[in-house]
């Protein structure tokens, strides 16, 4: 097995592009192990509705990255107290969905540093008792596969809850909904000798354990070339660094919202497909001039992103159609 060093990259869109490159294009003669740590981010499963999975206000206020990965499964939160491991190998026809095979060396290491109760439970979760500290997923393509998971070592658990908690407005989606479990960091469970380690130091101990060596120099490694990195950034631009992939790939969904303003009640019903508004209906007892259908029609085809919706509202004379209400107030109804 080869280890690939991501050279301290913290941008999730780059790290996931690197994993994709190693899976699809860098064919080595042995399996590959990749670790990465991401800045605060939400990593969305391939078949999920991004809007449904994130608390948009929290994400925006805290400048949290949102990136859709290639594999299925649910949304997970990453930050500097959390690290990811990826085993990339040939798909032998028997290993896909065999999470035990790939998590076994991780669990073995955790047992060796004091986390004696760590175990694989259910389909793809690593837990201590009833508390989850690692979610795992797989993706296979063209005879190759990646099995990847996260380790909550010293993560901000309040942010985990805040970032992944969606609003309670009615959102009907054909996407896959996450099952949110109680979560825990593993740092409180490790032996005293490891309590003061950083996330990076703990990750590096796991690296030595998986390779069965005592020093970093003994780890067998593939060194990325400049040409490799160039291709990684091309993949990032095509997929993980652009809105169309991270948000626009969401399945068709509908939103229904209602709010009582001083000028009267406004109810909106939105149909969104491939990240763009396909249908908008506005109801209410407000007093406006002109045909509200003009407003509805103006939004057809608009990208379902806060900035695009606000730009469109600012193009319209909202006071003419709705009364004494601002574009920013209406934005809260439409997004």
């Amino acid at each position: 097995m080869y280890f690939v060093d991501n050279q301290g990259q913290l941008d999730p869109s780059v790290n996931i592009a690197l994993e994709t490159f190693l899976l699809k294009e860098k064919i080595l003669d042995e399996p590959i192990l990749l670790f990465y740590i991401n800045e605060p981010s939400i990593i969305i499963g391939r078949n999920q509705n991004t809007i449904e999975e994130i608390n948009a206000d929290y994400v925006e206020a805290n400048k949290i990255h949102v990136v859709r990965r290639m594999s299925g499964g649910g949304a997970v939160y990453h930050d500097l107290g959390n690290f990811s491991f990826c085993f990339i190998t040939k798909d032998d026809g028997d290993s896909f969905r065999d999470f035990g095979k790939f998590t076994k060396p991780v669990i073995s290491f955790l047992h060796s540093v004091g986390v004696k109760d760590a175990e694989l439970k259910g389909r793809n979760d690593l837990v201590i008792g009833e508390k989850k500290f690692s979610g795992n997923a797989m993706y296979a393509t063209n005879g190759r596969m990646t099995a990847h998971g996260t380790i909550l070592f010293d993560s901000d658990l309040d942010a985990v809850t805040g970032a992944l908690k969606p609003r309670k407005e009615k959102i009907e989606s054909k996407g896959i909904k996450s099952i949110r479990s109680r979560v825990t960091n593993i740092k409180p469970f490790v032996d005293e000798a490891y309590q003061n380690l950083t996330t990076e130091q703990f990750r590096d101990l796991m690296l030595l354990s998986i390779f069965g060596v005592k020093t970093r120099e003994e780890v067998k490694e593939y060194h990325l070339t400049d040409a490799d990195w160039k291709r990684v950034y091309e993949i990032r631009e095509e997929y993980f660094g652009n809105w169309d992939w991270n948000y626009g790939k969401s399945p068709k969904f509908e939103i229904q919202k209602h709010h009582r303003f001083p000028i009267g009640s406004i109810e909106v019903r939105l149909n969104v497909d491939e990240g763009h508004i396909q249908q908008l209906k506005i109801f209410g007892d407000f007093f406006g001039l002109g045909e509200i259908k003009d407003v509805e029609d103006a939004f057809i085809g608009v990208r379902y992103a806060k900035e695009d919706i606000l730009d469109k509202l600012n193009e319209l004379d909202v006071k003419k159609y709705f009364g004494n209400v601002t574009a920013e107030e209406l934005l809260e109804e439409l997004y």
Side-chain angles (χ1 to χ4, degrees), residues 243-261:
W243 186 94
D244 284 336
W245 172 261
N246 294 325
Y247 285 84
K249 286 287 291 183
S250 294
K252 183 177 180 179
F253 63 99
E254 297 175 355
I255 294 178
Q256 180 177 327
K257 296 180 69 176
H258 177 276
H259 186 75
R260 182 86 187 171
F261 293 96

Side-chain angles (χ1 to χ4, degrees), residues 6 19 198 245:
N6 79 330
E19 182 181 356
T198 65
W245 172 261

Side-chain angles (χ1 to χ4, degrees), residues 42 54-56 58-59 64 156-166:
I42 297 175
I54 68 173
N55 181 337
Y58 187 96
V59 166
I64 295 172
D156 182 349
L157 297 186
D158 289 336
V160 173
T161 303
L164 288 174
K165 184 179 180 181

Side-chain angles (χ1 to χ4, degrees), residues 152-170:
L152 287 171
F153 178 65
D154 192 21
S155 198
D156 182 349
L157 297 186
D158 289 336
V160 173
T161 303
L164 288 174
K165 184 179 180 181
R167 291 189 173 202
K168 295 181 180 179
E169 282 86 4
K170 181 182 180 184

Side-chain angles (χ1 to χ4, degrees), residues 18-131:
L18 172 58
E19 182 181 356
T20 302
F21 167 72
L22 295 173
L23 172 68
K24 292 187 173 183
E25 300 184 23
K26 184 53 63 175
I27 312 301
L28 303 180
D29 57 351
E30 295 183 27
I32 297 170
L33 173 64
L34 171 70
F35 285 137
Y36 53 78
I37 295 172
N38 288 327
E39 294 172 331
S41 51
I42 297 175
I43 310 302
I44 302 291
R46 179 161 188 162
N47 301 312
Q48 290 188 297
N49 172 4
T50 301
I51 297 299
E52 185 176 36
E53 293 300 325
I54 68 173
N55 181 337
D57 290 339
Y58 187 96
V59 166
E60 181 177 347
N62 291 278
K63 296 180 169 51
I64 295 172
H65 300 272
V66 177
V67 180
R68 184 187 301 278
R69 62 181 183 267
M70 284 286 187
S71 62
V76 290
Y77 177 79
H78 289 193
D79 64 13
L80 300 179
N82 171 61
F83 65 95
S84 294
F85 58 88
C86 313
F87 292 98
I88 301 166
T89 185
K90 181 171 64 175
D91 184 1
D92 59 11
D94 296 319
S95 297
F96 195 77
R97 297 189 182 91
D98 184 359
F99 289 96
K101 175 179 179 178
F102 296 99
T103 58
K104 183 177 180 180
V106 174
I107 292 173
S108 177
F109 163 71
L110 294 175
H111 288 175
S112 75
V113 295
V115 192
K116 302 298 186 184
D117 294 330
E119 63 177 337
L120 175 66
K121 189 172 184 178
R123 181 183 59 165
N124 60 336
D125 293 336
L126 299 186
V127 301
I128 300 170
E130 295 300 318
K131 293 187 176 182

Side-chain angles (χ1 to χ4, degrees), residues 163-307:
L164 288 174
K165 184 179 180 181
R167 291 189 173 202
K168 295 181 180 179
E169 282 86 4
K170 181 182 180 184
I171 304 180
E172 296 179 352
S173 170
K174 294 180 175 64
I176 298 172
K177 294 173 170 53
S178 292
I179 300 173
R180 293 180 176 81
S181 305
R182 294 175 64 191
V183 296
T184 184
N185 286 313
I186 61 172
K187 190 172 184 179
F189 299 93
V190 302
D191 288 338
E192 186 175 353
Y194 309 103
Q195 283 289 328
N196 294 321
L197 294 183
T198 65
T199 306
E200 291 86 353
Q201 290 169 332
F202 191 78
R203 172 205 61 193
D204 291 345
L205 275 183
M206 182 183 289
L207 172 64
L208 299 183
S209 173
I210 290 174
F211 274 83
V213 298
K214 294 188 179 300
T215 66
R216 178 68 173 78
E217 291 71 27
E218 296 176 84
V219 173
K220 187 175 183 179
E221 185 171 349
Y222 171 77
H223 297 275
L224 294 162
T225 66
D226 289 343
D228 290 337
W229 277 113
K230 180 176 183 292
R231 182 61 187 134
V232 168
Y233 277 92
E234 289 172 350
I235 294 170
R236 176 191 179 275
E237 290 305 307
E238 184 177 359
Y239 294 101
F240 313 107
N242 73 67
W243 186 94
D244 284 336
W245 172 261
N246 294 325
Y247 285 84
K249 286 287 291 183
S250 294
K252 183 177 180 179
F253 63 99
E254 297 175 355
I255 294 178
Q256 180 177 327
K257 296 180 69 176
H258 177 276
H259 186 75
R260 182 86 187 171
F261 293 96
I263 51 89
S265 64
I266 297 178
E267 179 181 337
V268 300
R269 298 184 185 182
L270 282 163
N271 180 286
V272 181
D273 194 11
E274 292 295 324
H276 292 76
I277 297 172
Q278 304 299 322
Q279 188 175 25
L280 169 64
K281 295 298 292 182
I282 300 172
F283 308 93
D285 58 5
F286 54 90
F287 294 98
L289 301 173
E291 295 291 333
I292 201 66
K293 188 176 185 301
D294 294 342
V295 177
E296 295 169 343
D297 290 346
F299 278 91
I300 304 305
V302 171
R303 193 174 70 155
Y304 192 68
K306 181 175 283 189
E307 59 271 24

